[in-house]
Amino acid sequence: LTAAQVEYAALDAVKSLEVWLYLDALPDLTIRLRAEDATDGLAVDIMPAHGSMSTQATRAARAVIVQSAATTWSPPTGYTPASMEAKPTHRLVRVTEVNLPALVVPRVKGPDGNPATIGSFGAPPYFLLLPLSMLAPVRAVAAPTSAVPPSTTPVAASTPPPPPLPPPIASTAPASAGASFIFPAVDDDGDDGDDGGDGGDGDDGDGGGGGDGEDLT
């Protein structure tokens, strides 16, 4: 191989590995908090609990857990129910930032009777009682550092692609006897060749093209 071909192959392998390492280091935004991890004072992301993977990876708001033990939360006046008792699978959070106001708050309806959304409670901060299925650990998405050491060989501005493969070598072996067959024509009416006539064979007939042919020559 030429030096250009070796460098081309090396870059192809290294860059593919760098892409895999980058994707592998990205956080899984569909992961939600476990009960034992959802402790007081923990900053969390509020995320949709259902939908496609891209939907569940959408951060709707930021919050801080203020009560991990059993408690009762009272929505604002006019909202129903008037109070909600927290379950072991719920946490009382203080919302500090809203990114997706249309996200529905489970089991809560607004004064108009429609499902309440995160944006219907006004500007943060305010409190919500949410299930753990909507709380995710805060993770900043940053470009990870590649574990592959950078190449010390300068790459030319336009690295030529490797030369094309040579054409296949034609076989010098004789063609197989069974590769093709040429069958001679078969005369179903009798002899061919010498009689030269259009019709019957000269020996048997007294008419036709065969017998008369010899007299005319």
Side-chain angles (χ1 to χ4, degrees):
L1 297 178
T2 65
Q5 289 175 313
V6 171
E7 183 177 14
Y8 184 92
L11 286 175
D12 185 54
V14 169
K15 294 305 178 182
S16 299
L17 179 58
E18 288 179 350
V19 169
W20 183 87
L21 291 172
Y22 177 84
L23 296 177
D24 184 61
L26 293 177
D28 184 356
L29 298 179
T30 63
I31 294 177
R32 299 297 183 259
L33 282 177
R34 300 177 300 177
E36 57 268 27
D37 297 330
T39 56
D40 295 353
L42 181 67
V44 295
D45 286 338
I46 300 176
M47 318 281 281
H50 308 287
S52 64
M53 183 174 294
S54 60
T55 298
Q56 294 186 52
T58 303
R59 182 178 63 223
R62 290 189 182 274
V64 177
I65 297 177
V66 296
Q67 182 60 270
S68 58
T71 186
T72 299
W73 171 64
S74 297
T77 303
Y79 287 75
T80 55
S83 65
M84 297 175 61
E85 184 176 352
K87 300 178 180 179
T89 56
H90 288 68
R91 294 293 185 270
L92 182 65
V93 300
R94 180 170 59 89
V95 179
T96 58
E97 177 186 330
V98 175
N99 306 107
L100 185 63
L103 180 65
V104 173
V105 178
R107 303 189 299 163
V108 180
K109 291 187 177 181
D112 56 0
N114 293 322
T117 64
I118 288 184
S120 63
F121 292 90
Y126 54 82
F127 297 93
L128 290 177
L129 185 62
L130 298 175
L132 290 174
S133 60
M134 295 180 65
L135 303 180
V138 175
R139 297 184 179 181
V141 180
T145 303
S146 173
V148 180
S151 174
T152 57
T153 303
V155 181
S158 57
T159 303
L165 296 175
I169 301 175
S171 175
T172 57
S176 173
S180 61
F181 299 91
I182 302 177
F183 295 95
V186 178
D187 185 359
D188 294 335
D189 294 332
D191 297 333
D192 58 339
D194 295 339
D195 293 336
D198 294 335
D201 43 15
D203 295 336
D204 296 336
D206 53 350
D212 296 337
E214 293 191 13
D215 297 336
L216 293 175
T217 58

